Amino acid sequence: METETETHARELIAVRRLTKRYGTAVTALEAIDLSIDDGELIAIVGPSGCGKSTLLRILAGLMPPSEGEAWLHGSRIEGPRRDIGVVFQTPVLFPWRTVLANVLLPIDVQRLGRDKMQAAAMNLLKLVGLDGFENHLPNQLSGGMQQRAALVRALIHDPSVLLMDEPFGALDAMTREQMNLELQRIWMERRKTVVFVTHSVGEAVFLADRVVVMSPRPGRIIDTLEVDFPRPRPLSVMNTEAFGVHVSRIRQALNATGGLE
Amino acid sequence: MNPYLRLLLMVAILAVWEGAARLLHVPAYILPPPTAVAMGLYRGIASGLYVEHVWITMLETFLGFLLGASAGFALGTFVALSRRFEYYLYPVIIMFQAMPKVALAPLIIVWFGLDLTSKVVNAGLVCFFPLMVNTIVGLRSADEDRVSLMRSLAASPTQIFWMLRLPGALPSIFAGLEIAMIFALIGAIVAEFVGAQAGLGMLIQSMNFSMDVAGQFSVLFILSLIGLSLNAIVLAIRRKVVFWDRPAPENRLGGKP
Ligand SMILES: Nc1ncnc2c1ncn2[C@@H]1O[C@H](COP(=O)(O)OP(=O)(O)OP(=O)(O)O)[C@@H](O)[C@H]1O
Ligand SMILES: [Mg+2]
């Protein structure tokens, strides 16, 4: 058991009493309290429309909360930060840039010098199996390959936090499992703090150190669950009894509030 | 879809035209047979008469296109990027857009004289709007997720413009350029009709007075060749610049007044 101060020293992201309203009618998030440690891989599951994307957008500094606050690295999030990488549900590649140029977009925007980063980009592309495709245009790649490129782009400027909004939701089941394995490998190698939003309870339990379960709108945190399977986790961990126990506990929490999954 | 049949149809039309004009004894000042048009074309080119006028009209068209397209692009960019700019300018733009620009040609001649300048101004005026409208639409159409991505990287509005909005608008801008090029030709010809000392439009006018209908047909033929080549030039540049976006094989005959 860690003491209170130790926990606090490792805290990277803090969300306090955070509420987000769209207009007066829609309350997307209500009084969210969340603390995320440095290097943690945390998954957020919840029914559609419960405010998961909203939470990520606030963490990314893309919009302000209505009440409460979010902190990163000990300072309040008031706008986009350079040490955050975001992966969206769709790859969001620019069709006029080659795969390599797409991956280097953060370098161009933040003027970090392409020459120095070229090698790093090639390494990362290799890590996700995209070597040989660096000079292709995005529309020459499959959906899964495009999403890998998007993952590399989120990592290239070496951010400390990776925000992922249902990054593999549009992929077929097999590609998706492959991507989960790859994400775990990258995470183990680079030790980023990852906030991973997903619809899939299985995906959440497989990937995360901790799963946060949200209620339907207005989104609240209704359960938090530690997952301590040893890493690297093989896909077969999903067939174990312990895995099933975790999954059914999350399902119960979701069903109790009327969320369907 | 047989290319020979296509060619055959064209030949058939010409043959019917030729036959009808000769057999029915249609007077040459109403409808000359194609052979007479071909003769007129040959004489015009061989005597060097057409070459000079073609050059003048192409120059007017090209300069007018440059003028109108750059102005349309610049104003379109301002309108797309600044809501305030749009708010104040909107009534003026709507008034102007509703007006048939060619109706301004007589005024333009009065203001800018009979030589090159008035034709360039008129051509520019006519091709200004398609480019402005397409620039606005293109710049505004930037995908929300892409904008979010750029913002999440802490990109400045200037960076978002150059790295995302402008390249994203290029397909739409080139669609505008295609229309603008043909509009510029129309603008130049109309201004020449109203008052000019040279150019293909003026040539058509003077042939009309001398009832040289075969000559007029030959100039019309040249004009469509010019229109086709201008369009081909824009498309060739588009293929280089907008290399990632192949235009859909839409109906290339429609939508060109
Ligand atoms: N820009 C907006 N304006 C108004 N309402 C919005 C806006 N964005 C989201 N909402 C509303 O806020 C709620 C939460 O939206 P959000 O996109 O965060 O949900 P989500 O949990 O990501 O859903 P999903 O799993 O379907 O992606 C939804 O009910 C949505 O209708
Ligand atoms: Mg969402």
Side-chain angles (χ1 to χ4, degrees):
Chain A
M1 253 306 189
E2 290 170 335
T3 67
E4 181 71 35
T5 46
E6 266 170 347
T7 316
H8 211 79
R10 289 182 49 203
E11 184 181 71
L12 187 74
I13 297 173
V15 176
R16 303 223 196 292
R17 310 293 306 160
L18 187 138
T19 297
K20 178 69 189 182
R21 279 184 286 270
Y22 291 107
T24 47
V26 180
T27 304
L29 295 170
E30 194 163 84
I32 301 285
D33 276 303
L34 186 61
S35 165
I36 301 172
D37 286 348
D38 195 3
E40 192 176 14
L41 202 170
I42 191 168
I44 299 176
V45 290
S48 185
C50 75
K52 304 181 295 292
S53 299
T54 302
L55 182 59
L56 277 205
R57 290 178 70 82
I58 291 173
L59 290 180
L62 290 173
M63 59 176 162
S66 306
E67 282 164 33
E69 48 206 33
W71 295 67
L72 170 66
H73 280 308
S75 68
R76 239 172 97 164
I77 298 174
E78 270 157 353
R81 298 272 192 96
R82 295 187 159 212
D83 59 346
I84 288 182
V86 185
V87 183
F88 298 91
Q89 183 166 1
T90 53
V92 203
L93 299 172
F94 293 4
W96 50 86
R97 285 179 167 246
T98 62
V99 170
L100 183 63
N102 262 293
V103 159
L104 288 170
L105 181 74
I107 303 304
D108 292 346
V109 169
Q110 302 181 1
R111 300 199 174 89
L112 300 175
R114 260 197 190 200
D115 299 342
K116 277 182 294 174
M117 303 306 294
Q118 196 105 1
M122 293 305 293
N123 270 341
L124 276 170
L125 285 173
K126 195 169 190 140
L127 188 68
V128 299
L130 278 181
D131 42 337
F133 290 94
E134 60 273 8
N135 292 323
H136 284 55
L137 288 175
N139 62 16
Q140 296 172 303
L141 304 189
S142 72
M145 291 161 91
Q146 293 185 20
Q147 198 57 290
R148 278 171 227 226
L151 184 59
V152 171
R153 181 185 57 202
L155 291 167
I156 188 71
H157 54 305
D158 202 26
S160 50
V161 181
L162 208 51
L163 302 176
M164 309 182 80
D165 191 355
E166 297 185 44
F168 311 138
L171 304 180
D172 63 275
M174 249 164 73
T175 314
R176 189 170 185 161
E177 288 182 345
Q178 219 53 49
M179 295 296 287
N180 283 335
L181 282 175
E182 250 157 54
L183 177 62
Q184 172 178 248
R185 194 155 48 85
I186 290 169
W187 176 80
M188 288 180 68
E189 223 171 85
R190 314 234 156 187
R191 285 290 156 175
K192 308 272 175 216
T193 304
V194 178
V195 185
F196 189 97
V197 164
T198 174
H199 265 119
S200 156
V201 177
E203 189 174 61
V205 175
F206 175 77
L207 279 175
D209 298 322
R210 189 155 56 112
V211 181
V212 171
V213 187
M214 289 178 66
S215 69
R217 211 181 68 210
R220 268 180 279 235
I221 295 178
I222 49 172
D223 199 2
T224 303
L225 177 110
E226 307 272 343
V227 184
D228 50 10
F229 302 127
R231 296 197 193 256
R233 299 172 184 168
L235 286 174
S236 61
V237 76
M238 290 195 249
N239 304 324
T240 63
E241 203 181 317
F243 194 91
V245 171
H246 283 317
V247 167
S248 60
R249 172 169 156 194
I250 295 171
R251 287 246 158 87
Q252 267 167 22
L254 286 169
N255 287 336
T257 52
L260 300 170
E261 177 68 45
Chain B
M1 295 295 174
N2 187 330
Y4 297 109
L5 227 53
R6 242 179 161 182
L7 202 66
L8 201 66
L9 181 68
M10 281 191 60
V11 174
I13 292 174
L14 289 176
V16 168
W17 176 1
E18 181 82 32
R22 285 187 189 280
L23 292 177
L24 303 176
H25 301 290
V26 183
Y29 59 85
I30 304 285
L31 185 69
T35 42
V37 174
M39 277 309 293
L41 187 64
Y42 173 75
R43 269 199 307 274
I45 294 173
S47 67
L49 173 71
Y50 287 3
V51 180
E52 185 205 336
H53 293 289
V54 165
W55 161 245
I56 297 277
T57 299
M58 297 254 296
L59 187 66
E60 293 163 355
T61 303
F62 182 67
L63 291 179
F65 171 77
L66 277 190
L67 181 78
S70 357
F73 174 74
L75 202 70
T77 305
F78 279 122
V79 170
L81 295 186
S82 157
R83 293 276 164 195
R84 179 172 305 188
F85 204 83
E86 183 191 12
Y87 176 82
Y88 289 114
L89 227 59
Y90 195 67
V92 185
I93 291 176
I94 288 297
M95 279 296 296
F96 242 119
Q97 197 171 11
M99 179 195 305
K101 260 71 66 185
V102 289
L104 284 170
L107 264 182
I108 301 287
I109 301 292
V110 171
W111 288 340
F112 293 93
L114 283 177
D115 50 13
L116 194 79
T117 318
S118 58
K119 317 300 174 300
V120 171
V121 171
N122 202 55
L125 206 64
V126 174
C127 74
F128 167 85
F129 272 94
L131 206 73
M132 187 187 76
V133 171
N134 278 49
T135 303
I136 296 175
V137 170
L139 289 176
R140 288 247 170 102
S141 69
D143 176 55
E144 264 320 302
D145 282 348
R146 290 186 187 154
V147 176
S148 287
L149 172 76
M150 288 297 281
R151 287 186 50 219
S152 80
L153 294 168
S156 67
T158 322
Q159 285 178 319
I160 295 181
F161 177 79
W162 287 109
M163 298 169 99
L164 171 59
R165 286 194 195 277
L166 187 59
L170 283 177
S172 173
I173 290 175
F174 266 90
L177 288 175
E178 250 182 272
I179 302 170
M181 199 56 151
I182 301 303
F183 272 33
L185 182 59
I186 295 173
I189 296 292
V190 169
E192 286 174 1
F193 282 167
V194 177
Q197 286 145 347
L200 293 175
M202 190 244 26
L203 200 57
I204 289 181
Q205 284 283 63
S206 71
M207 285 171 163
N208 210 25
F209 285 127
S210 59
M211 295 210 276
D212 179 5
V213 180
Q216 287 186 57
F217 268 105
S218 68
V219 175
L220 286 178
F221 179 72
I222 290 179
L223 276 175
S224 34
L225 283 191
I226 292 178
L228 279 175
S229 16
L230 292 179
N231 195 246
I233 292 172
V234 176
L235 285 180
I237 298 174
R238 188 208 137 97
R239 215 165 301 135
K240 282 261 177 287
V241 178
V242 197
F243 56 89
W244 67 91
D245 183 72
R246 295 266 163 274
E250 21 103 39
N251 177 11
R252 293 219 162 274
L253 297 175
K256 303 263 169 59

